[in-house]
């Protein structure tokens, strides 16, 4: 915490330096904006509208920063006039809350004015880190000026604002410019390529239409028939096994709706039958393996018994 009089002196010094620096930066940006607007007028005059559409975003950005500096200058003047009140009260006065919060919010976003960071540190020491964090993160009770938030925003300007500035520049430099193509470009809605192209989705939908019709034609209409896979004949004969009737799934015409769900039902039935046939093949292979293992075990036991008999006969002959 500061002693009485120390905070006021430091605050006045930092705010005064910030005001002087803001005025210098405003004069410098005025010259830059005039030069940039003149270049855009030349691009419009020469028919290079694509370059003018890009450059106008930089002009809008510089104009917003210039406007933000003008508001900050007014807030700094207000703070200097009320420094005795800030120094005498422990909490931030309500009439100064907007000015103080706006300066804190703008400090890290206006790198050209480092004096604002020193002012932010002074307010952080006096009012606490929670007060500074609320203004920096734009919490509901931060009281930051709405115009400051909009002018220092990093979002791209809308097409309407860009078109308005281009028309202002053309009118300022008396350039006869047809804005119809630029208006069409700004009003054009660009596709979201991450979600997929609409043209590709439309072609996929058209290609799926014949397959749906084929599924509807091939579905049974009068009576129930078992659905049997035609590729079962291609399997080797030693792997074929009779499939129980209980494992075969039957689909009647009443269960199949005459709509786009026919394709879905057909694909589901194919998957079920294919799964059943695969499971039956696996069971048959497992049974065959178990049978061969049992035969091998029986043969081994017979051989062991035969060897024991021969060995016993040899012992009897030797003892006699």
């Amino acid at each position: 915490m500061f002693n009485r009089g120390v905070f006021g002196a430091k605050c006045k010094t930092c705010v005064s330096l910030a005001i002087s620096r803001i005025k210098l930066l405003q004069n410098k940006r005025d010259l830059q904006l005039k030069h940039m607007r003149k270049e855009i007028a030349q691009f419009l005059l020469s028919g290079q509208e694509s370059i003018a559409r890009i450059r106008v975003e930089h002009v809008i950005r510089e104009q917003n920063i210039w406007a933000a500096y003008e508001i900050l200058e007014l807030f700094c003047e207000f703070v200097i006039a009320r420094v005795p009140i800030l120094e005498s009260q422990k909490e931030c006065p309500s009439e100064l809350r907007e000015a103080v919060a706006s300066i804190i919010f703008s400090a890290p976003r206006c790198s050209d004015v480092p004096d604002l960071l020193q002012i932010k540190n002074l307010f952080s020491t006096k009012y606490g880190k929670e007060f500074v964090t609320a203004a920096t993160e734009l919490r509901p009770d931060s009281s930051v000026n709405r115009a400051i938030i909009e002018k220092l925003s990093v979002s791209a300007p809308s097409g309407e604002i860009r078109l308005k500035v281009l028309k202002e520049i053309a009118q300022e430099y008396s350039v006869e410019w047809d804005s119809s193509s630029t208006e069409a470009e700004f009003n054009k809605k660009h596709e979201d390529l991450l979600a997929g192209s609409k043209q590709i989705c439309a072609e996929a939908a058209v290609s799926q239409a014949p397959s749906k019709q084929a599924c509807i034609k091939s579905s049974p209409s009068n009576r129930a028939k078992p659905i049997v896979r035609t590729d079962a004949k291609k399997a080797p004969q030693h792997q074929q096994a009779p499939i129980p009737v209980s494992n075969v799934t039957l689909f009647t015409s009443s269960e199949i709706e005459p709509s786009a769900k026919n394709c879905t039902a057909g694909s589901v039935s194919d998957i079920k039958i294919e799964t059943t046939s695969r499971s039956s093949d696996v069971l048959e292979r497992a049974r065959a393996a178990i049978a061969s293992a049992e035969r091998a075990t029986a043969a081994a036991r017979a051989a062991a018994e035969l060897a024991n008999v021969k060995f016993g006969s040899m012992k009897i002959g030797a003892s006699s």
Side-chain angles (χ1 to χ4, degrees):
M1 295 296 293
F2 295 102
N3 295 327
R4 189 173 182 84
V6 177
F7 173 80
K10 288 187 177 182
C11 187
K12 282 184 178 180
T13 302
C14 294
V15 173
S16 300
L17 291 175
I19 292 173
S20 301
R21 197 182 298 273
I22 286 174
K23 289 181 178 180
L24 291 175
L25 290 173
Q26 282 182 321
N27 295 331
K28 182 179 178 181
R29 288 181 186 278
D30 278 335
L31 298 176
Q32 291 179 352
L33 281 172
K34 289 180 180 178
H35 180 69
M36 292 166 61
R37 292 170 72 92
K38 187 176 181 180
E39 284 185 345
I40 291 177
Q42 293 175 356
F43 289 135
L44 293 176
L45 185 63
S46 61
Q48 297 177 342
E49 295 185 16
S50 58
I51 301 177
R53 293 170 196 157
I54 299 173
R55 294 288 185 90
V56 74
E57 294 187 12
H58 193 193
V59 171
I60 295 171
R61 173 65 177 166
E62 292 295 322
Q63 289 179 350
N64 290 338
I65 295 177
W66 190 94
Y69 282 169
E70 188 175 12
I71 299 172
L72 286 173
E73 183 181 358
L74 294 176
F75 281 148
C76 289
E77 294 283 357
F78 187 51
V79 168
I80 284 182
R82 300 296 178 90
V83 164
I85 299 176
L86 292 174
E87 191 175 15
S88 61
Q89 297 183 14
K90 185 177 181 181
E91 300 293 334
C92 183
S94 59
E95 67 272 13
L96 288 169
R97 192 176 183 85
E98 182 181 5
V100 173
S102 299
I103 292 173
I104 293 173
F105 173 79
S106 305
R109 293 166 177 82
C110 298
S111 58
D112 294 337
V113 190
D115 305 291
L116 295 177
L117 290 174
Q118 298 181 8
I119 300 172
K120 174 187 173 183
N121 293 334
L122 290 175
F123 288 140
S124 176
T125 304
K126 183 172 180 59
Y127 299 124
K129 293 183 179 179
E130 188 67 22
F131 180 84
V132 174
T133 304
T136 305
E137 297 179 356
L138 291 178
R139 295 180 182 176
D141 56 344
S142 60
S143 302
V144 180
N145 184 267
R146 184 67 184 175
I148 287 286
I149 297 173
E150 293 177 357
K151 298 301 181 182
L152 295 180
S153 175
V154 295
S155 60
S158 63
E160 296 178 357
I161 297 176
R162 286 183 286 173
L163 182 62
K164 180 181 177 182
V165 175
L166 286 174
K167 288 182 178 180
E168 291 176 356
I169 293 174
Q171 185 177 3
E172 180 182 356
Y173 290 91
S174 301
V175 177
E176 295 182 359
W177 170 57
D178 184 12
S179 62
S180 58
S181 60
T182 302
E183 290 180 6
E185 180 66 23
F186 288 158
N187 294 329
K188 184 170 65 176
K189 295 182 179 180
H190 300 280
E191 294 183 1
D192 187 4
L193 298 180
L194 294 178
S197 176
K198 295 180 180 179
Q199 184 178 1
I200 297 175
C201 296
E203 292 177 356
V206 172
S207 63
Q208 289 178 359
S211 62
K212 289 183 179 180
Q213 294 178 0
C215 291
I216 293 173
K217 290 181 181 180
S218 62
S219 62
S221 59
N222 296 328
R223 58 179 182 176
K225 295 181 181 179
I227 301 175
V228 182
R229 291 180 57 86
T230 56
D231 57 350
K233 297 180 180 179
K234 299 180 181 180
Q237 295 181 357
H238 66 277
Q239 293 183 358
Q240 292 182 353
I243 301 175
V245 179
S246 60
N247 293 334
V248 179
T249 306
L250 298 178
F251 295 91
T252 61
S253 60
S254 61
E255 296 175 351
I256 302 177
E257 297 179 3
S259 60
K261 293 183 180 179
N262 290 329
C263 289
T264 306
S267 60
V268 171
S269 62
D270 291 342
I271 294 172
K272 287 183 179 180
I273 294 175
E274 185 177 357
T275 306
T276 304
S277 60
R278 288 183 179 177
S279 61
S280 62
D281 292 342
V282 172
L283 288 174
E284 290 298 327
R285 292 179 183 176
R287 290 172 183 172
I290 293 172
S292 61
E294 290 178 354
R295 289 195 294 270
T297 303
R301 289 177 180 175
E305 291 177 358
L306 182 61
N308 290 332
V309 170
K310 290 183 178 180
F311 185 72
S313 61
M314 290 175 64
K315 280 186 176 182
I316 294 171
S319 61
S320 61

